[in-house]
Amino acid sequence: MRRYLRVVGLCLACGFCSLLYAFSQLAVSLEEGAAGGRRPQAAAMGSWLADGGRGPGRGAGSAGSGRPGRCKDFSLCYWNPYWMLPSDVCGMNCFWEAALRYSLKTQPTEKMHLAVVACGERLEETVTMLKSALIFSVKPLQVHIFAEDQLHNSFKDRLDSWSFLQRFNYTLYPITFPSDSAVEWKKLFKPCASQRLFLPLILKEVDSLLYVDTDILFLRPVDDIWSLLKKFNSTQIAAMAPEHEEPRIGWYNRFARHPYYGKTGVNSGVMLMNMTRMRRKYFKNDMTTARLQWGDILMPLLKKYKLNITWGDQDLLNIMFFHNPESLFVFPCQWNYRPDHCIYGSNCREAEEEGVFILHGNRGVYHDDKQPAFRAMYEALRNCSFEDNAIRSLLKPLEMELQKTVHTYCGKTYKIFIKQLTKSIRNRYDTPPKER
């Protein structure tokens, strides 16, 4: 029995020693190559904050620790196993910083990608859309702006003044179509509108992307629609909202001369894409028995249906997902709320229950008096600054303007326009920073 106990004790001791050695080697290997060599702790914490840390870092030695001088001027990038630490080094703090650094390396902050195409007189709309996205969003936002050359300097002047927004970066691109068919694509529906079809082929390094039209207003964080990517099943590559909720006023089911998705088609003004899957997928089609990839199917589709389509690139997307319905995730109308949802009476049930999440002012309603409720929303966000107090004080004057629109069908339901907006402002600007 004693021999048995001795063997067990010896095994446990060996296992413990092996574990300590393995742990020390792992810790050293994780910290190898850290830039800057033996940096002071203050510099290390500065780097940690710059890399996106939240809250105060764990210092190597604090004034109230009761052990003055411990861990001073010792680089925690190259800490040693505990039994080899110098006398003035605090092993526990070394452990916590190493764990923190490893966590930050392996779990970088996710960046959201937003794309928009702007041509003609769309500068102000685009800037207002971007402002609404930035006011509420939490994660860093990388914006890809495809614009005519004459708009580039104006975009730079406006967006460079937002340099104080550390979670925002943008890149400007020229309008680009395949050289052998550029003229045909430019004439499709509206100038530049079909640019969105080529985003998976141009932004090859981007995995996922949210495309929106210029006349979009975000009434809740971009993070929330971005999270829908996690709800895609293994076959879904993109997400859009239905074109209509009420078939009696639907356009596709009454007038389309081409195939379209579902009962009433889909609207491409807000389109969430897993572009890695889009580039890899082979699409079923009615032009050949062979399945075609994204870059190969666009031109044949245009040639076959160009005399039958009215809404350009949106029609081509409807045709594509008609033949590949398993590839589309359909989100509710509150994520793409348009005048069609209220112009003849309210017909977006989800918006009635939870409010409008994304407002889409198509038909030019931000700039005329046909739908004053939409125009009031646009003007309020266009004139709003990034200052916290300005955002908090946005609601009262906006509601007063909306109350003046109750003579219209959309104005009668004006409360759904500000229901989610009120929550977004409260959550983002009335909540203490530690609780956000």
Side-chain angles (χ1 to χ4, degrees), residues 32-160:
E32 281 181 359
R38 293 177 175 265
R39 299 177 298 175
Q41 177 66 4
M45 284 295 100
S47 174
W48 175 74
L49 289 171
D51 288 340
R54 293 286 185 267
R58 295 181 182 269
S62 62
S65 66
R67 290 182 285 180
R70 291 180 64 78
C71 299
K72 63 182 180 180
D73 298 328
F74 186 84
S75 170
L76 299 182
C77 295
Y78 295 98
W79 60 278
N80 298 307
Y82 290 152
W83 60 88
M84 298 171 59
L85 289 174
S87 59
D88 61 344
V89 173
C90 170
M92 182 55 67
N93 285 324
C94 294
F95 169 79
W96 283 118
E97 169 145 357
L100 178 62
R101 285 167 164 276
Y102 182 63
S103 175
L104 289 175
K105 287 179 182 177
T106 55
Q107 298 178 356
T109 302
E110 181 184 12
K111 182 183 291 185
M112 302 178 294
H113 290 264
L114 176 68
V116 63
V117 178
C119 288
E121 304 296 323
R122 298 287 183 166
L123 173 69
E124 195 64 35
E125 268 189 5
T126 306
V127 171
T128 303
M129 178 275 292
L130 293 175
K131 184 190 296 183
S132 71
L134 291 166
I135 283 176
F136 301 117
S137 297
V138 178
K139 295 176 184 175
L141 191 63
Q142 175 66 49
V143 179
H144 305 270
I145 303 171
F146 291 80
E148 292 174 310
D149 293 342
Q150 62 267 28
L151 293 178
H152 281 216
N153 286 335
S154 298
F155 271 115
K156 289 177 182 177
D157 292 341
R158 298 289 294 274
L159 301 183
D160 285 349

Side-chain angles (χ1 to χ4, degrees), residues 185 197-198 201 294-302 316 320:
W185 288 112
L197 294 176
F198 298 93
L201 307 177
W294 189 268
D296 300 323
I297 199 173
L298 296 176
M299 196 61 206
L301 271 182
L302 178 60
L316 295 182
M320 201 175 301

Side-chain angles (χ1 to χ4, degrees), residues 29 239 314 326 386:
S29 66
Q314 177 173 293
E326 74 286 349
F386 286 106

Side-chain angles (χ1 to χ4, degrees), residues 7-49:
V7 171
V8 171
L10 182 61
C11 291
L12 290 175
C14 292
F16 180 73
C17 292
S18 299
L19 183 62
L20 286 177
Y21 178 79
F23 178 78
S24 67
Q25 293 302 309
L26 174 62
V28 172
S29 66
L30 290 176
E31 297 302 324
E32 281 181 359
R38 293 177 175 265
R39 299 177 298 175
Q41 177 66 4
M45 284 295 100
S47 174
W48 175 74
L49 289 171

Side-chain angles (χ1 to χ4, degrees), residues 258-259 286 301-309 319 323:
H258 58 79
D286 58 359
L301 271 182
L302 178 60
K303 286 183 177 180
K304 178 171 182 176
Y305 288 104
K306 64 181 178 181
L307 299 179
N308 296 331
I309 58 179
I319 296 169
H323 293 290

